[in-house]
Amino acid sequence: DAGVIQSPRHEVTEMGQEVTLRCKPISGHDYLFWYRQTMMRGLELLIYFNNNVPIDDSGMPEDRFSAKMPNASFSTLKIQPSEPRDSAVYFCASTPPGYNEQFFGPGTRLTVL
Amino acid sequence: AQSVAQPEDQVNVAEGNPLTVKCTYSVSGNPYLFWYVQYPNRGLQFLLKYITGDNLVKGSYGFEAEFNKSQTSFHLKKPSALVSDSALYFCAHTPGSYQLTFGKGTKLSVIP
């Protein structure tokens, strides 16, 4: 089975530009999580969904960040406008029904110049 | 606040020697504890978890972890380290929901 798929794997953009990160969870999984990883702050949970519904977005840093999950097989994390401090690796993870283990995607390395 | 702590930023061990990566927890009620590994430029991979039952939990790649309630610890162990075990290791906790809280991570370096 394919794992969690994220695209793009690398993104370089300039400050002020809109950035959209994409995630396809593992088929059949009902929870989806977005994380951000930096050297300074470690691994931070941004938002998570259950059955496509956002459950907790308290980790979203500010209004420039938004996330959607229009269906069970696709989610996006959007940053508009982007800033250099948003540079990080963004991970998507999903969880099957009844389990706690999260399955992580390979991440998107975002660099905002 | 409920949390996990990894007291060591880095652990160095010689190949073939036993390794231990430390994790302590501060959790009310029954702790649900996890270990994940992150290889360079990769996402995190699940290694093992403790929910209830035996205090010694066996996981992937020959790793095991010992749950110690009196010391509030959940240390990750392996009898004989491999160079390929070099990676970043995360301890994590959930209060029973699906949301995980991760420790800051410990970098393990296995020296040939």
Side-chain angles (χ1 to χ4, degrees):
Chain A
D1 286 340
V4 174
I5 299 172
Q6 291 187 248
S7 63
R9 291 295 309 276
H10 302 272
E11 177 81 32
V12 180
T13 190
E14 293 187 348
M15 183 174 63
Q17 296 298 306
E18 177 179 297
V19 174
T20 299
L21 311 181
R22 297 172 176 81
C23 174
K24 176 179 171 55
I26 295 172
S27 177
H29 286 197
D30 60 349
Y31 276 82
L32 183 140
F33 303 81
W34 281 101
Y35 291 90
R36 177 172 69 176
Q37 185 178 37
T38 61
M39 290 291 291
M40 291 296 294
R41 301 175 68 93
L43 199 62
E44 302 173 279
L45 176 65
L46 300 177
I47 185 172
Y48 73 98
F49 296 83
N50 176 223
N51 291 323
N52 315 336
V53 176
I55 302 301
D56 186 348
D57 66 353
S58 59
M60 297 285 263
E62 46 197 276
D63 292 345
R64 298 184 296 107
F65 286 69
S66 62
K68 295 181 179 180
M69 192 166 185
N71 57 61
S73 59
F74 184 64
S75 177
T76 60
L77 178 67
K78 186 176 294 186
I79 308 172
Q80 166 63 17
S82 58
E83 296 182 2
R85 60 191 168 125
D86 301 330
S87 297
V89 181
Y90 291 81
F91 289 103
C92 176
S94 66
T95 299
Y99 289 86
N100 302 101
E101 299 95 290
Q102 295 182 15
F103 294 78
F104 281 74
T108 295
R109 182 173 296 276
L110 174 65
T111 303
V112 183
L113 303 174
Chain B
Q2 303 192 69
S3 66
V4 291
Q6 295 179 243
E8 300 160 317
D9 290 337
Q10 176 145 358
V11 171
N12 297 322
V13 63
E15 184 178 21
N17 282 4
L19 69 86
T20 298
V21 183
K22 296 180 180 178
C23 173
T24 59
Y25 64 90
S26 174
V27 171
S28 59
N30 294 324
Y32 298 152
L33 300 166
F34 300 76
W35 276 103
Y36 282 77
V37 60
Q38 184 180 26
Y39 297 102
N41 300 314
R42 302 283 294 276
L44 278 70
Q45 295 179 34
F46 169 77
L47 279 179
L48 52 81
K49 69 178 179 181
Y50 172 82
I51 304 296
T52 60
D54 290 340
N55 290 339
L56 187 63
V57 180
K58 294 188 181 296
S60 306
Y61 311 122
F63 284 93
E64 58 188 26
E66 185 174 8
F67 173 73
N68 188 316
K69 189 172 183 178
S70 63
Q71 298 185 5
T72 62
S73 67
F74 188 58
H75 300 333
L76 182 70
K77 300 182 179 184
K78 187 173 183 180
S80 178
L82 302 173
V83 173
S84 57
D85 293 329
S86 298
L88 193 57
Y89 290 81
F90 291 92
C91 182
H93 145 76
T94 178
S97 67
Y98 292 87
Q99 181 176 345
L100 291 177
T101 301
F102 288 88
K104 64 180 181 178
T106 298
K107 182 180 180 180
L108 173 68
S109 294
V110 181
I111 303 162

